[in-house]
């Protein structure tokens, strides 16, 4: 079984920064991709940033250079540095990872961490 635990959410003023972190634990053979999604009330869950094992990175269109995703493969962690935050970035941010335990591939999700951007 695999677990993802997020940290780093909170309340920040517009224009501020937050750094989210997510660590995977459990029976992990390899992690093929790891990243972040978000969901605001009344909206569908959307991709924020995902980084593959090969290093390729995908960002949602709304990011526009404000966020940076990074991975530490040795520690099974992924970080999301968010700068110049806007009120419309308010959402629950979920960590996601595609994890192999040696026998199967699991699409794993964390519980989510709330990010609120407000003055």
């Amino acid at each position: 079984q695999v677990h993802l635990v997020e940290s780093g959410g909170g309340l920040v003023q517009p224009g501020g920064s937050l750094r989210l972190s997510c660590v995977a634990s459990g029976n992990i053979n390899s992690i093929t991709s790891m990243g972040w999604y978000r969901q605001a009330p009344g909206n569908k869950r959307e991709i924020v940033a995902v980084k593959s094992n090969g290093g390729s990175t995908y960002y949602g269109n709304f990011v526009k250079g404000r966020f940076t995703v990074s991975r530490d493969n040795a520690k099974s962690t992924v970080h999301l540095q968010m700068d110049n935050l806007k009120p419309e970035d308010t959402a629950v941010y979920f960590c996601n990872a595609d994890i192999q335990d040696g026998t199967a591939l699991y699409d794993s999700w964390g519980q989510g961490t709330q990010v609120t951007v407000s003055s």
Side-chain angles (χ1 to χ4, degrees), residues 55-72:
S56 60
T57 305
Y58 178 83
Y59 290 98
N61 289 337
F62 59 87
V63 171
K64 299 187 186 304
R66 299 181 297 127
F67 300 172
T68 303
V69 64
S70 60
R71 285 178 60 178
D72 184 337

Side-chain angles (χ1 to χ4, degrees), residues 63-109:
V63 171
K64 299 187 186 304
R66 299 181 297 127
F67 300 172
T68 303
V69 64
S70 60
R71 285 178 60 178
D72 184 337
N73 293 331
K75 297 181 179 179
S76 299
T77 60
V78 63
H79 305 284
L80 183 67
Q81 177 66 40
M82 302 187 292
D83 299 316
N84 191 21
L85 283 160
K86 305 175 181 180
E88 51 264 41
D89 293 317
T90 296
V92 178
Y93 284 68
F94 296 91
C95 179
N96 173 261
D98 290 332
I99 298 175
Q100 279 197 332
D101 68 355
T103 60
L105 180 66
Y106 297 92
D107 180 23
S108 303
W109 292 90

Side-chain angles (χ1 to χ4, degrees), residues 1-23:
Q1 196 169 4
V2 175
H3 299 280
L4 298 179
V5 178
E6 303 105 333
S7 61
L11 173 65
V12 64
Q13 292 186 343
S17 298
L18 280 176
R19 180 177 171 86
L20 306 182
S21 296
C22 171
V23 58

Side-chain angles (χ1 to χ4, degrees), residues 38-46 90-92 94 114:
R38 72 182 189 183
Q39 187 168 17
N43 290 358
K44 294 181 179 180
R45 191 171 295 189
E46 61 181 348
T90 296
V92 178
F94 296 91
Q114 177 70 46

